[in-house]
Amino acid sequence: MQVTRKHLATALVVAFVFNLVVMGAGAWYSTTNAPPIPQEVVGPDGERITTKDQVQAGKTVFQSDGLMNHGSILGNGAYYGPDYTADALDLKVHHMREYYAREEYDRSYANLSAGDRASVNATVQSELEGSRAGNVVQYSAAEAYAHQQVRQEYVERYHEGEPHRGVPADMIDSEERARQFADFAMWTAWVAHTDRPGGENSFTNEWPYAPGAGNQPPASAMTWSVIAMVLLVAGAGAGIWLYRAVDLTEPESEGVTIPDPDDVTILPSQIAASRFVVIGALLFMAQVLLGGLLAHFYIERDAFFGLGEIFGFEILQWLPFALAKTWHIDLGILWIATLWLGAGIFLPALLTGYEPSNQARYVNGLLVALVVVAVGGLAGIWLGAQGYIDGALWWIVGNEGLEYLEVGRLWQVGLLAGFGIWAVLVWRGFRPLLRREQRFGLAHMILYAGGSIALLFCAGMLYTPQTNIVVTEFWRWWVVHMWVEGAFEFFIVSIVGLVLVSMNLLRKKSAEKAVMFQALFVMGTGVIGVSHHYWWVGQPDIWVPVGSAFSTLELIPLVFILYEALGQYRVMASSGEGFPYTLPFMFIVASGVWNFVGAGVLGFFINLPLINYYEHGTYLTVGHAHAAMFGAFGFLAIGMAVYMLRLTTRSGAWSTRRLRWSFWLWNLGLALMVFVSVLPVGFLQLEAVFTASYDAGRSLAFYEQPIVQALFWARLPGDTMIILGTAIFGYDVVAKLRNQTGAETPSEGGQPIADRVLGDD
């Protein structure tokens, strides 16, 4: 099949437009069919229990006090605390049973006979299944009683504090606000057990699994899981046939001249771009240290190896789990983005030999702006979560409180502006290439990838704290997962193509063809595949078939990326001792392997609807997230950083020993963490949900089991290796930057890469 770059570019545009049309229509449909918030909830005698305003105020408390990074709502958030939806529903069932046991038998539920318990259980389940939506929702006496009991429990837990749960005192700073949060959690529980008008399932498709409330997996979960398996086999076969049918040139080392680092002219903007590596290393170090603390919090929920008692320091009050988790996530995004931004600015001069006027000054300015936004955002999170920012500013400059989008809106706008400035700088550097190549060329691809990252980030601006949480989650996942499955993967294949071209292992035209082919598969499956996050969070059930189909197909492009990584490994292995870029290649290959394992294998497993119904929001997701985020995107970012260091460090001072230690410590540490600790906990959690309920799998009792605690301790070697590898990397970065080569001008030396690339068009 003779497929040209133009054909692939046309198909890519069609796929992109198709994605926007489907997801745009889905946005409208999902917004108009979001679960309603009743104007008021009343008891059997008409007394008001709660109102729409109180529920929305509770959502504000949930966000402003960082509760999404302590527990989760509708399965989304942190796994340290309970899922508030499942917890509220379980408590509602428990207190309704107690109410009827006292009313009908004058004794506690625990003291009833088996027959009487069955009668009470049936009454409670019937009431919950019979709940109907409307502007005014009427509770039974048992429901009204349960609601008040949950309010009181949430006041005691989240305002007064429960250190054994890892909840500091004044996590919510007043009783009134704690009751509002309880109202919000109880509304999500009501959504979970109330049937959608005209449908047979609840707004959340019967999630969470709660037999006492009548919540069982819907038939569609089984049906579409089977269809997904069939689609995987058929899609894999079709993909392999197409991949083999299209002639794509692979990297090769025989018969090519690899540019020696000493022959590459380093320009001032590239020296400036290399400073991004220092900031990235510092952010990385902070992130892994917080990761170690978070892992230990599952063992000691209010202490850290007894040091607090020795020094009189209450770590739970100053650095609670929710705050540490928030910083951990944001630092992970920041250090990866920092290294990617630096690489994106470094490569244009390498491929063109061109230095725009004042480019280095502007690059330094972008780095300063990035540091300001990072420090401001992280400080705002702490000030906001600790209650130092009141009024409307709490979500503008403080803590917006949504997982992965915790920083205040002002800092998010700053990050978006940073992406814009970066795009302009990359455009300035690529101008000689942009003028010569067609619109589907490699330089254009990098700009498109960066632009898509910025475009999807804008979805995070389409909601406010007053927006329905279900609609908020719709747009939040546009930002979080469309980055991962769309823009980030697009960026990966584009930047790896550029690196292969710069190493003279692939002709530019061949790289463009390969990049567009892989981007077509990524964009054709991954963007709509984000809908697997919508099954159980109150979105219309149309997302079950759509999400099943496209989420399944997400695995196929990752297989191709793995294939490319293995091909690149063969090049590295056959290139001999004289190949100067072995180490960056090792990170690129590792990125492809972990991308397949973390995003592909583990992602496919947990996203099957029937598995996901029970697994949603458990430790299996933790394993998937760490393997995919650090393994795929983190290793690529580090590989780009190492490539920059190799070209900017004087040959006499270059050494790979420390970086090789870091490479193996990271890989072994990540493997130990994921496969020895995190995934086994996840499978035990899955079993607990299967045999009891979702709330039982997320309960404190589950985490305190001896076997689970032993598995948490088993994570310590892996975490230690990752921390040690990061410390070695940080030291090595500083050492190499102290031995940088001097910046030149294009006229002072040859630029073999630029000459070949510009001549390839």
Side-chain angles (χ1 to χ4, degrees), residues 666-727:
W666 282 327
N667 276 280
L668 293 174
L670 182 59
L672 286 174
M673 181 182 74
V674 171
F675 295 109
V676 175
S677 176
V678 172
L679 289 183
V681 170
F683 282 113
L684 290 174
Q685 209 167 14
L686 188 62
E687 183 181 17
V689 176
F690 273 140
T691 56
S693 68
Y694 182 81
D695 185 65
R698 287 286 303 274
S699 66
L700 184 62
F702 169 81
Y703 287 127
E704 289 183 336
Q705 293 179 91
I707 186 173
V708 176
Q709 288 290 298
L711 288 170
F712 284 144
W713 278 111
R715 181 174 167 173
L716 184 62
D719 283 355
T720 302
M721 294 174 77
I722 292 174
I723 292 171
L724 183 59
T726 308

Side-chain angles (χ1 to χ4, degrees), residues 258-466:
I258 309 298
D260 190 278
D262 289 338
D263 296 332
V264 176
T265 300
I266 298 300
L267 306 180
S269 64
Q270 293 176 298
I271 295 295
S274 68
R275 298 185 184 116
F276 281 70
V277 180
V278 179
I279 302 301
L282 289 172
L283 296 172
F284 188 15
M285 191 69 223
Q287 192 218 5
V288 297
L289 289 174
L290 285 170
L293 174 63
L294 292 172
H296 189 75
F297 264 133
Y298 280 90
I299 300 168
E300 287 186 285
R301 291 197 166 229
D302 60 345
F304 186 71
F305 293 106
L307 295 178
E309 294 182 6
I310 297 174
F311 296 104
F313 178 78
E314 295 185 17
I315 191 170
L316 194 61
Q317 291 298 127
W318 287 97
L319 192 59
F321 181 94
L323 183 56
K325 171 74 162 32
T326 300
W327 279 348
H328 177 70
I329 290 176
D330 288 352
L331 285 167
I333 295 171
L334 284 170
W335 76 258
I336 291 173
T338 298
L339 296 183
W340 281 11
L341 292 175
I345 294 171
F346 185 91
L347 287 171
L350 188 66
L351 295 172
T352 65
Y354 170 67
E355 177 81 9
S357 61
N358 295 315
Q359 181 82 339
R361 180 181 300 175
Y362 297 146
V363 172
N364 286 326
L366 176 61
L367 181 60
V368 171
L370 178 66
V371 171
V372 170
V373 170
V375 173
L378 295 174
I381 287 170
W382 189 86
L383 293 171
Q386 296 297 101
Y388 291 107
I389 301 176
D390 295 323
L393 289 178
W394 71 265
W395 69 283
I396 301 296
V397 299
N399 173 37
E400 189 167 326
L402 297 170
E403 190 182 32
Y404 292 100
L405 294 173
E406 291 89 354
V407 297
R409 186 64 57 86
L410 174 66
W411 310 111
Q412 291 182 29
V413 171
L415 289 172
L416 184 60
F419 277 121
I421 295 170
W422 173 83
V424 171
L425 293 177
V426 173
W427 170 80
R428 294 178 88 237
F430 270 135
R431 268 188 297 180
L433 199 52
L434 292 169
R435 294 191 190 105
R436 299 172 64 100
E437 70 178 17
Q438 294 176 292
R439 294 179 182 177
F440 45 75
L442 270 182
H444 284 83
M445 285 292 179
I446 285 292
L447 290 175
Y448 298 155
S452 64
I453 292 174
L455 178 64
L456 293 176
F457 194 75
C458 291
M461 312 292 171
L462 299 178
Y463 53 80
T464 70
Q466 287 70 47

Side-chain angles (χ1 to χ4, degrees), residues 618-633:
T618 67
Y619 246 65
L620 290 175
T621 303
V622 177
H624 156 68
H626 281 78
M629 188 69 176
F630 177 40
F633 305 130

